[in-house]
């Protein structure tokens, strides 16, 4: 009986450690993982990587055509992409096939670059466990915040552009480790 209890407690502990390690918020304050797409749609840039995007803040949005909250947030993201089109690069990432996405965007306009990640390597490296999920990445490639796309505001993006730290007034989920970001503010 004692051995079974110890085994169950150990398994629960390992599961909780594993789930914590896979939390997208654990990336806040760190360099963003590598960008890797099988295909890129709607992009003037042939190859998308952090070197090509250096000097420009990036909004990464993980989504899918079948996801109701993702589809609901498209007009909101389109509005923000229009507002900041020359200052911020918006990239929407899906694991769906190119044919599914092309069929979808015939009916619903998406005003961002679309990255196709069918092998889900980016979903894994960004710890995506549910969608939609949005990352704000500064011009030096550091993850500043992760949130739902519908929570993203013009004010947050302006703070990202003008090197201001995102303050908790924007959303209770924004900054995971504010002390780390204050200490690293000069390098971010």
């Amino acid at each position: 009986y004692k051995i079974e209890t110890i085994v169950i407690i150990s398994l629960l502990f390992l599961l909780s450690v594993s789930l914590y390690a896979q939390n997208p918020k654990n990336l806040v304050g760190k360099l963003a993982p590598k960008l890797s797409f099988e295909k890129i749609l709607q992009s003037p840039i042939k190859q998308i990587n952090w070197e090509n995007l250096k000097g420009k803040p990036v909004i990464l949005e993980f989504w899918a055509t079948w996801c109701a909250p993702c589809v609901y947030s498209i007009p909101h993201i389109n509005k923000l992409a229009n507002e900041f089109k020359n200052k911020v690069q918006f990239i929407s990432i899906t694991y769906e096939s190119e044919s599914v996405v092309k069929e979808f965007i015939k009916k619903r306009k998406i005003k961002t670059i679309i990255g196709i990640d069918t092998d889900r390597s980016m979903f894994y490296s960004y710890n995506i466990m549910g969608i939609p999920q949005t990352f704000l990445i500064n011009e030096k490639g550091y993850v500043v915040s992760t949130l739902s796309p519908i929570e993203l505001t013009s004010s947050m993006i302006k703070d990202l552009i003008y090197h201001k730290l995102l303050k908790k007034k924007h959303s209770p989920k924004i900054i995971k480790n504010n002390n780390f970001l204050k200490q690293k503010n000069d390098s971010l």
Side-chain angles (χ1 to χ4, degrees):
Y1 176 74
K2 287 182 181 181
I3 293 177
E4 290 173 351
T5 304
I6 291 171
V7 168
I8 290 172
I9 291 171
S10 298
L11 288 173
L12 289 173
F13 174 76
L14 289 174
L15 178 63
S16 67
V17 168
S18 172
L19 289 175
Y20 174 79
Q22 294 175 6
N23 187 334
K25 290 183 183 354
N26 291 340
L27 294 174
V28 173
K30 298 178 182 170
L31 277 172
K34 175 183 158 189
L35 296 174
S36 169
F37 304 106
E38 284 81 52
K39 185 78 175 180
I40 301 166
L41 306 176
Q42 306 184 149
S43 175
I45 307 168
K46 301 267 187 226
Q47 177 87 13
I48 296 181
N49 56 46
W50 288 121
E51 230 168 86
N52 295 359
L53 298 171
K54 276 281 197 254
K56 197 173 213 182
V58 176
I59 307 293
L60 290 182
E61 180 199 5
F62 290 84
W63 72 291
T65 62
W66 55 263
C67 165
C70 302
V71 173
Y72 177 78
S73 69
I74 290 172
H76 177 65
I77 294 296
N78 283 345
K79 180 179 177 250
L80 293 170
N82 271 343
E83 183 178 346
F84 296 99
K85 65 181 165 192
N86 295 320
K87 295 180 180 172
V88 176
Q89 187 64 68
F90 285 76
I91 304 171
S92 298
I93 304 163
T94 182
Y95 57 78
E96 295 174 291
S97 71
E98 179 181 0
S99 61
V100 168
V101 174
K102 280 186 171 180
E103 197 59 38
F104 180 82
I105 60 177
K106 284 180 187 175
K107 298 173 191 151
R108 280 199 182 262
K109 182 86 172 141
I110 295 178
K111 297 182 178 182
T112 68
I113 292 173
I114 299 173
I116 306 292
D117 179 37
T118 54
D119 69 0
R120 297 182 188 212
S121 60
M122 289 196 53
F123 275 73
Y124 295 130
S125 60
Y126 281 83
N127 302 325
I128 303 300
M129 296 171 55
I131 53 175
Q133 186 72 48
T134 301
F135 290 82
L136 281 69
I137 299 165
N138 72 13
E139 76 284 351
K140 293 189 178 181
Y142 284 85
V143 176
V144 175
S145 181
T146 178
L147 63 159
S148 167
I150 208 69
E151 294 175 302
L152 184 60
T153 66
S154 292
S155 177
M156 289 176 187
I157 296 172
K158 286 175 187 170
D159 284 353
L160 181 66
I161 293 168
Y162 299 112
H163 312 287
K164 295 177 184 174
L165 293 177
L166 297 176
K167 295 175 178 57
K168 292 191 183 231
K169 68 177 180 175
H170 293 304
S171 169
K173 299 178 184 177
I174 299 302
I175 298 298
K176 177 185 117 181
N177 187 343
N178 208 12
N179 290 333
F180 172 84
L181 290 175
K182 282 181 184 173
Q183 292 167 0
K184 297 288 187 176
N185 193 25
D186 293 330
S187 65
L188 294 176

